[in-house]
Amino acid sequence: MPTDDVEPEAQPATSTEDAPNVFRTDDGAQDGLAKCARCGATEISLNVATGNLRCGFCRFEWATDNAIEAFNLNGDISKLSGILVGSGSSDIVPSTEEILTFKCSACGAEVVIDTNNSTQARCHWCRNTLSMNQQVPNGAVPDMILPFTVEKSTAVEKIASFVGKRKFFAHPKFRAEFNAENVMGVYLPYMVVDINAHARMTGEGEHQTRSYTVKVGDKQEQRYDADLFNVVREFDIQVNDLTVESSSDRLDQNTSQNSNNIINTIMPFDVENSVRYDSNYLAGFTSERRDSNLDQLSPIAHTQAEDITRHRVNDSLAFYDRGVRWTAEEVDVRGQRWVSAYLPVWLYSYQQRNSSGKTFLHYVAVNARTGETMGSVPLHQSKLLLVAGVVQLVGTVIGLVLVAVGI
């Protein structure tokens, strides 16, 4: 067999087993009072219409630094080697305290923040807001955050429209209880990873040379002749801004218990517009803490990189019109860069409980940057079976009539 080979580009060998190099992403971040630069108030929240932070008193607006530029994440991916991680992506330390006590710098009172649920708290004496921006190794403070830009009213309309188109087959209890106003804005934790890899794939490809029909008994069979080639593809590949869920709850893709896979369908996010983490962006929203480390997430990211590798070579395989069967695939990850991020989602959730007591969690999710909407709705199985039976019966009757009239 002839061999179709592509010469590899020379690359220095690099071990992927090096210990991660950590770069700080919270340098200069301060805990406690974060004041408006114009009036000194601490009533700061996100203006969804602009994506900027806004003072609740004087309406002054500003944005924190773009995270990609601040952390130099635009560097040449092809030069990545080893493992580089942001300090907010470091391994979670199980013994880390989740209850932190701050001293209010306005009045001196002590204020407690439960980092499991929030990174902000209000002083119960002077009413100032205290924020935690410095990272503690419990996954509560990421490296960067992508602000909401889709307003709640828009998300409510999209969810109501999505459900409205599916109400005919929806479960009656769901129809009775559905209220799109119950949508919540949630920052979900992700890891954003850049990968520099070298791939080598070997296999066999077939190119058809002739097609013809032969008679076998009373039947005709279509047959073909083809040349068989050894196929080799070897190349460097760089993957930019791959996003991987970093919450164990969202990683649970058990489709018999939840519809977590829905969340993936509203991607991608424009993570290049993320800003340095500031807990003021969380005011008015909820968030979910990262609880998965790199050793748990790396296999997922590497599998996705392998999928991208297979997709990339497709353009060079047009000659093999009978297809290519890969017998060996090697993707050597030479460099990777990880940062943790909060990404914004408007979420409507519904817990369905069936007659046996089992529950199933449904979602309708809206990407709070692009407006992309997807979800699952509990079905009225009896109604669905009835309609399917009627359609089948009508089809059968029409078929019999056509046969009877000789058409």
Side-chain angles (χ1 to χ4, degrees):
M1 290 183 290
T3 298
D4 174 9
D5 201 348
V6 176
E7 291 297 324
E9 298 177 19
Q11 280 287 333
T14 306
S15 170
T16 59
E17 297 178 357
D18 297 338
N21 291 314
V22 179
F23 59 96
R24 299 300 313 181
T25 59
D26 64 346
D27 283 344
Q30 295 185 345
D31 294 335
L33 295 175
K35 298 181 179 179
C36 167
R38 176 183 287 175
C39 71
T42 62
E43 287 289 336
I44 300 167
S45 61
L46 172 67
N47 179 5
V48 176
T50 63
N52 294 328
L53 292 176
R54 180 173 60 185
C55 174
F57 283 91
C58 69
R59 320 302 283 178
F60 177 64
E61 289 197 14
W62 70 96
T64 54
D65 297 335
N66 179 281
I68 305 297
E69 296 173 0
F71 306 145
N72 193 28
L73 301 179
N74 277 331
D76 189 350
I77 298 175
S78 67
K79 298 187 184 311
L80 280 179
S81 65
I83 305 173
L84 192 61
V85 300
S87 49
S89 311
S90 302
D91 283 354
I92 295 168
V93 179
S95 60
T96 301
E97 291 289 341
E98 293 173 344
I99 305 296
L100 301 179
T101 301
F102 289 79
K103 183 177 285 294
C104 176
S105 55
C107 69
E110 291 190 340
V111 179
V112 173
I113 293 181
D114 180 358
T115 59
N116 233 356
N117 303 309
S118 174
T119 54
Q120 281 193 324
R122 188 183 290 274
C123 175
H124 46 273
W125 293 107
C126 66
R127 308 297 296 167
N128 276 310
T129 301
L130 303 184
S131 301
M132 190 189 77
N133 293 319
Q134 293 180 325
Q135 286 153 355
V136 291
N138 69 349
V141 176
D143 297 306
M144 60 188 194
I145 184 169
L146 186 61
F148 279 73
T149 53
V150 172
E151 298 193 61
K152 181 177 180 178
S153 57
T154 303
V156 168
E157 290 175 5
K158 287 181 172 294
I159 290 174
S161 174
F162 180 90
V163 173
K165 294 176 182 176
R166 293 156 179 81
K167 268 195 172 181
F168 182 76
F169 287 112
H171 195 281
K173 189 175 181 184
F174 173 80
R175 291 204 304 268
E177 297 176 353
F178 175 72
N179 181 0
E181 293 293 335
N182 290 334
V183 62
M184 293 184 64
V186 185
Y187 282 105
L188 295 179
Y190 283 81
M191 286 286 201
V192 181
V193 56
D194 299 329
I195 293 178
N196 175 31
H198 185 76
R200 178 181 174 82
M201 306 173 71
T202 59
E204 294 178 345
E206 291 186 359
H207 175 67
Q208 183 172 308
T209 56
R210 190 165 73 101
S211 178
Y212 51 94
T213 303
V214 298
K215 188 173 183 180
V216 180
D218 296 332
K219 297 182 179 178
Q220 300 284 330
E221 288 188 359
Q222 189 72 22
R223 295 186 177 178
Y224 69 91
D225 294 335
D227 291 335
L228 185 64
F229 293 83
N230 286 326
V231 180
V232 179
R233 292 290 182 269
E234 189 164 2
F235 54 92
D236 296 326
I237 185 168
Q238 289 83 44
V239 181
N240 187 29
D241 291 344
L242 188 65
T243 49
V244 181
E245 288 155 331
S246 58
S247 161
S248 56
D249 283 345
R250 300 286 81 75
L251 283 170
D252 179 8
Q253 300 289 315
N254 186 343
T255 54
S256 67
Q257 297 178 355
N258 60 62
S259 57
N260 278 341
N261 54 332
I262 293 296
I263 303 296
N264 288 330
T265 64
I266 62 171
M267 291 201 284
F269 289 89
D270 55 329
V271 293
E272 67 275 13
N273 292 317
S274 299
V275 297
R276 293 187 64 167
Y277 177 79
D278 185 324
S279 59
N280 284 312
Y281 283 102
L282 271 60
F285 304 100
T286 62
S287 60
E288 197 165 280
R289 190 166 60 85
R290 175 176 70 90
D291 60 1
S292 301
N293 292 325
L294 256 61
D295 57 348
Q296 298 162 284
L297 302 175
S298 290
I300 299 172
H302 294 177
T303 297
Q304 293 187 23
E306 291 169 3
D307 292 340
I308 293 170
T309 300
R310 290 189 205 98
H311 181 73
R312 177 180 165 178
V313 299
N314 285 340
D315 291 343
S316 68
L317 303 176
F319 176 73
Y320 307 105
D321 48 7
R322 296 289 306 177
V324 174
R325 182 174 65 86
W326 299 115
T327 55
E329 301 176 6
E330 299 173 17
V331 178
D332 176 24
V333 177
R334 293 174 164 172
Q336 43 193 319
R337 178 170 53 207
W338 295 75
V339 286
S340 56
Y342 272 160
L343 303 183
V345 176
W346 289 107
L347 206 59
Y348 181 88
S349 60
Y350 182 80
Q351 189 85 37
Q352 181 186 18
R353 184 179 297 277
N354 61 25
S355 55
S356 65
K358 289 186 178 180
T359 59
F360 187 94
L361 190 56
H362 292 270
Y363 294 109
V364 181
V366 179
N367 183 320
R369 299 286 297 189
T370 65
E372 181 72 21
T373 305
M374 186 52 67
S376 69
V377 173
L379 294 175
H380 189 186
Q381 296 288 351
S382 301
K383 191 172 189 178
L384 184 65
L385 292 173
L386 177 63
V387 172
V390 169
V391 171
Q392 186 174 15
L393 179 62
V394 170
T396 302
V397 171
I398 292 176
L400 292 173
V401 170
L402 292 176
V403 170
V405 297
I407 298 177

